[in-house]
């Protein structure tokens, strides 16, 4: 059964929620979710839908401007750009049919996106607080413009239907798939995993974009990272592409090429920066929008708006979103081809020391059967970043960080094979964001030169959806206090790194955006290019690649034993088994 237009709209808003909420730190110590501003629990309107509405209406308005067309034609054009996959085009067409009449009325009255979304009740004013807005207020004033627009759509059928929509996952035809997807997202395990070994031969939904590709998903004794079974004479038990016997001397290839080479994998425990959260700026750029613009939208949704396949830790594919891919995994694989496919990204949008124990159990490493691993703990922002107005009060304290990280290390000590290593990475200095972005135009504001990052940060703070009120703030004192707490927490990690555990040794490395910027400057780049343009918060592809290079160089210089010696048989492995690619 095909959903009706209102249900199309609901599905579209679900997708918007995925894109918007992914950037928001979920760093509470409970599993409950705090209500966003404007969310009364009686319908769809919330900070998520407000943000999504303002972005969508802005794009439609700009498409009409760029192509000198009507709003109706602009909506049709936007829908035509969306792929058929996941019914995205049909969802868009249904939403356009549902919203269209009211949008046309409001645009005819010269209402901007802020006014439209407030009039449609998709953005709501909090009692006693001013109206939140992304754009400069209209000349007649924002409040008066909104009231005028509300009179225009007063009799709208849409407004009556919005509050009657059920939860997306309460719909009978989506109930089971919602449960399975929710389990995948909550527990960071592959959606398709027949043998339940936490590895998959599907790339997305926490598959091999996130962890090494399973070369036999029907056998739970075959997976990346295990010690070879009987030197892989008959089959490839660890999925590194090396198996069989050399007919010239009768020696198993795994034994001949990998024994004594200190092969190991890399496992990442991280937040959205480690997972490489990225919303393509082309999605908001009406001037260049085309049929190709949204071709990667389905995969982006399936991967929670993360791009781990290009990340600076476990990335393995050449980047298709700008810049280049350089990662710890690729460096480790180039050093020793026996490490092929041995990577895991156990990372979460909103991940922090406060919630990591909720998803660390998806780490796939057996203490007695598997190879040692290099585990990188990299929570670079969410222990100081949150959406609360009293942001300082909700930051992680040094004591809490110490206690939470010690829980992680004790868990790792019980799971990791002996001879493993743990790298603790410090927090970023997020003042870099404001310093290099606040007066620049956001992708949505480049056409008419009307939206800067300062306006974006202020809007997100107003609707209580700013992912980092401490750093993405007009208040310089607050930005400095946030960095001060970040330095304190980094010092705690550096002190913890001196402790001893039976299964692994520990190292501490900085996350130095200043050092990354220096490297980027040498290449002729500008500092603002190191920040994701759409959200103005996460490190960009270039920043992650350079960050991986700096971490690798630091570890290679100070702790070379962690990385193992270069494998002298690398060329022989490629000669016999081919390059095989990064995955």
């Amino acid at each position: 059964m095909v959903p009706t237009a209102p249900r199309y709209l609901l599905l579209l808003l679900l997708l918007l929620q995925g894109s918007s909420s992914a950037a928001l730190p979920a760093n509470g110590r409970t599993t409950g979710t705090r209500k966003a501003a404007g969310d009364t629990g009686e319908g769809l309107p919330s900070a998520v839908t407000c943000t999504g509405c303002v972005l969508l209406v802005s794009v439609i308005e700009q498409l009409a401007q760029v192509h000198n067309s009507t709003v109706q034609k602009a909506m049709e054009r936007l829908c035509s750009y969306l792929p058929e996959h996941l019914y995205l085009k049909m969802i868009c067409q249904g939403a356009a049919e549902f919203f269209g009449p009211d949008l046309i009325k409001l645009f005819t009255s010269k209402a901007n996106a802020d006014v439209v979304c407030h009039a449609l009740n998709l953005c709501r004013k909090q009692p006693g607080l001013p109206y939140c807005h992304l754009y400069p207020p209209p000349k007649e004033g924002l409040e008066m413009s909104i009231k005028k627009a509300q009179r225009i759509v007063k009799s709208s059928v849409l407004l009556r239907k919005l509050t009657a929509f059920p939860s997306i996952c309460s719909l009978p035809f989506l109930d089971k798939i919602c449960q399975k997807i929710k389990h995948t997202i909550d527990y960071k395990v592959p959606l398709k995993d027949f043998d339940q070994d936490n590895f998959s031969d599907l790339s997305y939904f926490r598959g091999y974009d996130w962890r090494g590709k399973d070369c036999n998903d029907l056998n739970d004794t075959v997976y990346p990272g295990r010690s070879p079974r009987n030197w892989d004479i008959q089959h490839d038990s660890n999925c590194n592409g090396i198996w069989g016997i050399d007919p010239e001397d009768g020696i198993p290839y795994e034994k001949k090429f990998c024994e004594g080479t200190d092969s190991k994998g890399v496992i990442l425990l991280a937040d959205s920066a480690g997972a490489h959260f990225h919303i393509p700026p082309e999605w908001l750029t009406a001037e260049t929008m085309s049929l190709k613009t949204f071709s990667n939208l389905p995969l982006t949704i399936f991967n929670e708006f993360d791009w781990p396949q290009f990340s600076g830790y476990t990335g393995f594919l050449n980047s298709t979103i700008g810049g280049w891919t350089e990662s710890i995994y690729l460096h480790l694989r180039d050093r020793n081809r026996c490490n092929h496919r041995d990577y895991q990204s156990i990372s979460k949008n909103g991940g922090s020391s406060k919630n990591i124990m909720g998803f660390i159990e998806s780490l796939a490493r057996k203490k007695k059967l598997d190879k040692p691993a290099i585990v990188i703990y990299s929570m670079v922002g969410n222990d100081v970043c949150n959406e609360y107005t009293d942001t300082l009060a909700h930051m992680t304290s040094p004591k809490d960080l110490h206690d939470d990280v010690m829980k992680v290390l004790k868990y790792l000590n019980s799971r990791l094979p002996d001879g493993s290593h743990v790298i603790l990475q410090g927090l970023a200095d997020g003042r870099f964001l404001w310093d290099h972005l606040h007066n620049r135009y956001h992708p949505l504001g480049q056409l008419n030169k009307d939206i800067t990052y300062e306006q974006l940060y202020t809007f997100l703070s107003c609707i209580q959806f700013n992912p980092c009120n401490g750093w993405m703030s007009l208040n310089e004192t607050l930005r400095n206090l946030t960095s001060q707490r970040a330095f304190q927490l980094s010092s705690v990690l550096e002190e913890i790194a001196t402790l001893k555990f039976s299964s692994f040794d520990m190292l501490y490395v900085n996350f130095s955006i200043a050092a990354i910027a220096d490297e980027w400057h040498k290449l002729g780049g500008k500092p603002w290019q190191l920040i994701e343009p759409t959200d103005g918060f996460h490190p960009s592809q270039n920043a992650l690649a350079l960050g991986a290079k700096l971490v690798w160089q630091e570890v290679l210089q100070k702790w070379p034993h962690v990385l193992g010696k270069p494998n002298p048989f690398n060329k022989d492995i490629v000669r016999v088994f081919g390059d095989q690619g990064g995955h």
Side-chain angles (χ1 to χ4, degrees):
M1 177 178 176
V2 178
T4 61
R7 286 181 177 178
Y8 277 140
L9 171 61
L10 198 58
L11 287 169
L12 182 62
L13 290 173
L14 178 68
L15 302 183
L16 286 173
Q17 181 172 356
S19 66
S20 302
S21 62
L24 187 65
N27 54 3
R29 291 183 177 275
T30 66
T31 56
T33 303
R34 175 177 173 272
K35 285 185 179 180
D39 187 353
T40 63
E42 299 174 351
L44 286 174
S46 68
V48 174
T49 49
C50 179
T51 304
C53 177
V54 171
L55 294 180
L56 268 179
V57 172
S58 297
V59 169
I60 292 170
E61 185 177 22
Q62 290 186 17
L63 279 172
Q65 177 185 345
V66 168
H67 296 280
N68 193 26
S69 71
T70 64
V71 172
Q72 180 68 37
K73 290 293 184 183
M75 288 188 286
E76 292 173 1
R77 184 182 299 273
L78 177 60
C79 292
S80 73
Y81 292 154
L82 294 179
E84 300 280 359
H85 199 44
L86 289 181
Y87 301 103
L88 290 171
K89 190 187 297 289
M90 293 176 65
I91 292 170
C92 181
Q93 291 168 341
E97 179 183 343
F98 195 57
F99 276 119
D102 287 333
L103 283 180
I104 293 171
K105 292 178 186 177
L106 293 170
F107 276 127
T108 302
S109 70
K110 307 298 183 183
N112 66 18
D114 294 320
V115 174
V116 168
C117 294
H118 277 287
L120 295 179
N121 215 20
L122 291 174
C123 290
R124 286 183 179 172
K125 178 182 176 296
Q126 290 287 76
L129 296 177
Y131 284 98
C132 298
H133 59 94
L134 178 61
Y135 291 86
K139 290 182 179 180
E140 63 181 344
L142 185 60
E143 184 173 359
M144 184 174 295
S145 296
I146 291 173
K147 289 182 178 179
K148 178 181 175 182
Q150 287 172 335
R151 288 195 294 271
I152 293 173
V153 296
K154 185 176 181 180
S155 60
S156 170
V157 177
L158 167 65
L159 295 181
R160 292 198 301 270
K161 286 186 176 181
L162 271 175
T163 56
F165 283 169
S167 163
I168 181 68
C169 287
S170 68
L171 301 176
F173 63 94
L174 288 176
D175 179 53
K176 289 186 178 180
I177 186 64
C178 274
Q179 290 181 26
K180 194 164 182 61
I181 292 175
K182 184 177 186 301
H183 182 269
T184 291
I185 293 174
D186 287 348
Y187 294 97
K188 313 307 170 197
V189 292
L191 181 71
K192 177 183 179 292
D193 181 15
F194 291 127
D195 57 13
Q196 298 295 295
D197 59 6
N198 281 5
F199 292 93
S200 177
D201 57 10
L202 184 71
S203 65
Y204 45 85
F205 276 134
R206 293 282 166 169
Y208 67 78
D209 281 347
W210 298 83
R211 53 181 86 201
K213 186 176 183 179
D214 196 336
C215 52
N216 186 343
D217 201 27
L218 299 177
N219 186 340
D220 64 1
T221 67
V222 175
Y223 52 85
R226 71 156 292 165
S227 297
R229 183 178 182 181
N230 195 26
W231 292 114
D232 286 357
I233 293 173
Q234 295 183 335
H235 68 273
D236 187 8
S237 67
N238 56 22
C239 299
N240 66 358
I242 303 170
W243 66 284
I245 298 176
D246 188 336
E248 293 186 3
D249 54 22
I251 300 176
Y253 284 117
E254 180 82 35
K255 181 177 179 67
K256 187 173 187 177
F257 295 152
C258 299
E259 185 179 27
T261 64
D262 197 18
S263 58
K264 55 176 67 75
V266 58
I267 300 174
L268 175 68
L269 306 176
D271 51 20
S272 53
H276 194 1
F277 182 85
H278 168 78
I279 299 176
E282 317 78 88
W283 292 0
L284 303 177
T285 311
E287 290 178 287
T288 59
M289 204 170 282
S290 70
L291 289 172
K292 296 181 179 179
T293 300
F294 297 99
S295 60
N296 53 16
L297 178 56
L299 177 61
T300 309
I301 294 170
F302 293 156
N303 273 344
E304 304 163 43
F305 287 78
D306 295 322
W307 306 72
Q309 67 271 38
F310 306 143
S311 81
Y313 301 91
T314 61
F316 58 87
L317 290 178
N318 291 331
S319 172
T320 60
I321 56 175
W324 74 99
T325 300
E326 185 167 349
S327 70
I328 302 300
Y329 162 68
L330 284 179
H331 279 297
L332 201 62
R333 177 180 177 272
D334 288 344
R335 194 171 180 83
N336 186 349
R337 290 278 172 160
C338 299
N339 296 328
H340 181 55
R341 287 181 177 160
D342 197 355
Y343 62 91
Q344 298 180 49
S345 179
I346 315 298
S347 46
K348 169 188 172 69
N349 295 332
S352 72
S353 69
K354 296 178 179 180
N355 58 32
I356 185 174
M357 292 306 296
F359 60 90
I360 194 175
E361 290 185 4
S362 68
L363 184 153
R365 215 65 172 187
K366 297 182 175 67
K367 196 172 186 65
K368 300 299 183 182
L369 291 179
D370 297 347
K371 298 179 183 180
I374 301 172
V375 177
I376 303 174
Y377 176 97
S378 180
M379 304 289 180
V380 301
N382 289 334
D383 282 294
V384 296
C385 286
N386 57 70
E387 77 278 20
Y388 294 97
T389 303
D390 54 344
T391 181
L392 292 172
H394 287 83
M395 293 179 186
T396 302
S397 70
K399 181 183 183 304
D400 284 341
L401 181 81
H402 178 276
D403 293 346
D404 290 336
V405 172
M406 289 302 296
K407 291 177 185 176
V408 170
L409 295 175
K410 289 175 182 177
Y411 179 81
L412 292 176
N413 199 45
S414 70
R415 293 288 300 274
L416 294 179
D418 292 347
S420 294
H421 313 277
V422 173
I423 297 176
L424 302 180
Q425 187 166 37
L427 280 71
D429 183 355
R431 290 176 295 189
F432 190 91
L433 304 173
W434 178 268
D435 292 346
H436 296 288
L437 279 187
H438 76 278
N439 58 356
R440 294 190 60 81
Y441 290 112
H442 184 267
L444 206 58
Q446 289 173 4
L447 178 63
N448 297 310
K449 303 294 185 285
D450 54 358
I451 300 175
T452 64
Y453 283 92
E454 178 178 340
Q455 290 167 248
L456 174 67
Y457 295 164
T458 303
F459 170 68
L460 293 176
S461 292
C462 182
I463 62 174
Q464 298 179 43
F465 201 55
N466 188 325
C468 196
N469 264 327
W471 279 325
M472 298 162 68
S473 167
L474 285 71
N475 188 328
E476 182 180 6
T477 300
L478 183 58
R479 298 197 301 269
N480 290 336
L481 288 172
T482 303
S483 287
Q484 181 179 326
R485 176 60 62 87
F487 296 150
Q488 291 173 342
L489 299 183
S490 293
S491 296
V492 171
L493 293 172
E494 190 169 10
E495 182 179 348
I496 290 175
T498 63
L499 302 177
K500 306 294 183 183
F501 287 85
S502 59
S503 297
F504 54 83
D505 58 6
M506 283 195 292
L507 322 168
Y508 172 83
V509 298
N510 288 309
F511 184 94
S512 177
I513 191 65
I516 292 172
D518 286 343
E519 290 293 315
W520 185 233
H521 178 72
K522 294 175 186 177
L523 296 174
K526 304 295 184 182
W528 55 268
Q529 295 169 322
L530 298 173
I531 308 168
E532 279 292 323
T534 301
D535 59 52
F537 177 52
H538 291 89
S540 69
Q541 181 71 44
N542 296 324
L544 293 173
L546 288 171
K549 174 185 175 182
L550 292 175
V551 169
W552 180 265
Q553 289 176 344
E554 184 174 357
V555 176
L556 188 61
Q557 178 182 359
K558 296 180 179 179
W559 306 284
H561 73 282
V562 172
L563 307 176
K565 295 180 180 180
N567 189 337
F569 301 106
N570 279 337
K571 290 183 179 179
D572 294 314
I573 294 173
V574 174
R575 173 179 55 81
V576 176
F577 297 101
D579 180 74
Q580 302 188 79
H583 67 289

